[in-house]
């Protein structure tokens, strides 16, 4: 395998962001009536800077994993704050896990994990309206595509107009699969033999808890101003 893995690397998260910006500008994406949706806390600072560069509002999609009954390291499904659920049917079937268990765990995880984060970071506010909007699903890297897939599912359920996935790095197979579900996948590099997101960054992607709180607080303040303006 080592001979199949190339040595491509981003100098830093800032380098990856600039290269992704170049790819976005080449494609002349329409940023009017657009919302950027970030799918991980690790990618929050990356998405925050990208949103400012593109002059688009930013929001965060809270998700949480559902694990197998007897293995807390085996993720069998993912649930979003909109209660959309994406299941790994192969694992569920091979472990003979019932749908009642999956839906029951989804409700528990939503109430215990997702709701607490929504109240902590958004003061209980729901995600911004996605209806008839162009949505850019953003992260600093994608490995399996499960979270991006769930985000696409959520956008579709909320009647988004166009849905794009924007990320510097992801496996070619994942990019091809996601491209079938949305209007486009924009990336800098799509390795055939993917290692891990961290492998492709010379400088680690870091974000401190204080930075997470500050960015999410700013998102919430902007959202509240928009609500007040409408009233």
């Amino acid at each position: 395998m080592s001979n199949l893995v190339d040595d491509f690397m981003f100098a830093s998260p800032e380098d990856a962001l600039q290269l992704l910006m170049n790819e976005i500008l080449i494609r002349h994406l329409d940023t009017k009536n657009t919302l950027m949706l970030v799918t991980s806390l690790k990618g929050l600072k990356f998405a925050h800077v990208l949103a400012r560069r593109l002059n688009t509002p930013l929001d965060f999609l809270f998700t949480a994993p559902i694990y197998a009954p007897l293995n807390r390291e085996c993720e069998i499904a993912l649930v979003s704050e909109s209660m959309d659920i994406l299941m790994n049917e192969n694992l569920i079937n091979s472990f003979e896990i019932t749908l009642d268990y999956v839906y029951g765990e989804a409700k528990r995880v939503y109430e215990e994990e997702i709701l607490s984060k929504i109240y902590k970071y958004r003061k209980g506010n729901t995600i911004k309206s996605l209806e008839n909007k162009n949505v850019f699903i953003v992260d600093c890297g994608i490995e399996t595509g499960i979270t991006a897939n769930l985000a696409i599912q959520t956008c579709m359920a909320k009647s988004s107009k166009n849905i794009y996935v924007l990320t510097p790095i992801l496996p070619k197979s994942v990019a091809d699969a996601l491209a079938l579900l949305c209007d486009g996948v924009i990336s800098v590099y799509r390795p055939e033999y993917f290692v891990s997101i961290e492998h492709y960054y010379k400088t680690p992607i870091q974000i401190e808890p204080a930075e997470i709180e500050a960015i999410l607080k700013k998102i919430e303040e902007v959202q509240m101003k928009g609500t007040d303006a409408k009233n």
Side-chain angles (χ1 to χ4, degrees), residues 152 165 173-185 190:
I152 292 170
V165 174
S173 59
V174 172
D176 292 344
L178 291 176
L180 298 174
L181 303 174
C182 65
D183 294 281
V185 177
R190 304 178 181 188

Side-chain angles (χ1 to χ4, degrees), residues 38 40-48 60 207 212 215-216 219:
V38 59
S40 78
L41 291 175
K42 195 167 188 177
L44 188 58
K45 183 162 62 174
F46 183 94
H48 180 57
F60 188 90
I207 182 166
I212 292 172
I215 294 172
L216 290 175
I219 292 172

Side-chain angles (χ1 to χ4, degrees), residues 133-226:
K133 287 188 179 296
N134 299 315
V135 181
F136 295 166
I137 298 168
V138 177
D139 213 329
C140 52
I142 293 174
E143 291 192 356
T144 65
I146 293 175
T147 305
N149 193 323
L150 182 61
I152 292 170
Q153 184 175 309
T154 297
C155 292
M156 292 175 67
K158 290 183 174 294
S159 304
S160 299
K161 182 179 179 182
N162 295 303
I163 306 166
Y164 290 89
V165 174
L166 279 55
T167 186
I169 183 81
L170 79 169
K172 183 181 183 303
S173 59
V174 172
D176 292 344
L178 291 176
L180 298 174
L181 303 174
C182 65
D183 294 281
V185 177
I186 297 177
S187 61
V188 177
Y189 188 53
R190 304 178 181 188
E192 193 85 42
Y193 301 98
F194 189 86
V195 182
S196 68
I197 294 172
E198 290 77 15
H199 174 82
Y200 299 98
Y201 283 87
K202 287 183 181 178
T203 305
I205 303 165
Q206 296 179 328
I207 182 166
E208 300 297 326
E211 291 180 291
I212 292 172
E213 293 207 22
I215 294 172
L216 290 175
K217 183 179 180 182
K218 185 169 287 188
I219 292 172
E220 196 251 339
E221 287 173 352
V222 170
Q223 192 169 3
M224 291 301 293
K225 285 181 182 178

Side-chain angles (χ1 to χ4, degrees), residues 5-117:
V5 177
D6 56 47
D7 57 0
F8 177 91
M9 294 182 80
F10 297 112
S12 64
E14 292 76 20
D15 174 45
L17 191 143
Q18 185 54 55
L19 291 171
L20 181 61
M21 272 291 299
N22 294 343
E23 294 294 330
I24 293 168
L25 294 174
I26 287 171
R27 286 160 177 76
H28 304 287
L29 282 190
D30 183 8
T31 58
K32 294 178 182 177
N33 194 34
T34 295
L35 175 70
M36 192 168 292
L37 198 62
V38 59
T39 54
S40 78
L41 291 175
K42 195 167 188 177
L44 188 58
K45 183 162 62 174
F46 183 94
H48 180 57
V49 176
L50 187 61
R52 283 190 299 177
R53 294 258 190 107
L54 294 175
N55 194 28
T56 62
L58 175 67
D59 209 346
F60 188 90
L61 179 67
F62 290 103
T63 61
I66 299 169
Y67 296 102
L70 301 177
N71 188 344
R72 296 297 298 172
E73 294 184 356
C74 181
E75 186 177 316
I76 59 169
L78 194 68
V79 59
S80 78
E81 62 181 89
S82 301
M83 278 300 288
D84 295 308
I85 303 171
L86 188 67
M87 303 183 199
N88 187 324
E89 294 184 2
N90 289 334
L91 285 178
I92 289 171
N93 291 334
S94 63
F95 292 144
E96 298 183 345
I97 298 170
T98 66
L99 290 181
D100 284 344
Y101 171 84
V102 176
Y103 290 124
E105 278 295 286
K107 185 174 184 296
R108 183 190 65 78
V109 167
Y110 173 79
E111 292 174 349
E112 295 180 5
E113 298 183 27
I114 294 179
L115 273 184
S116 64
K117 291 177 182 175

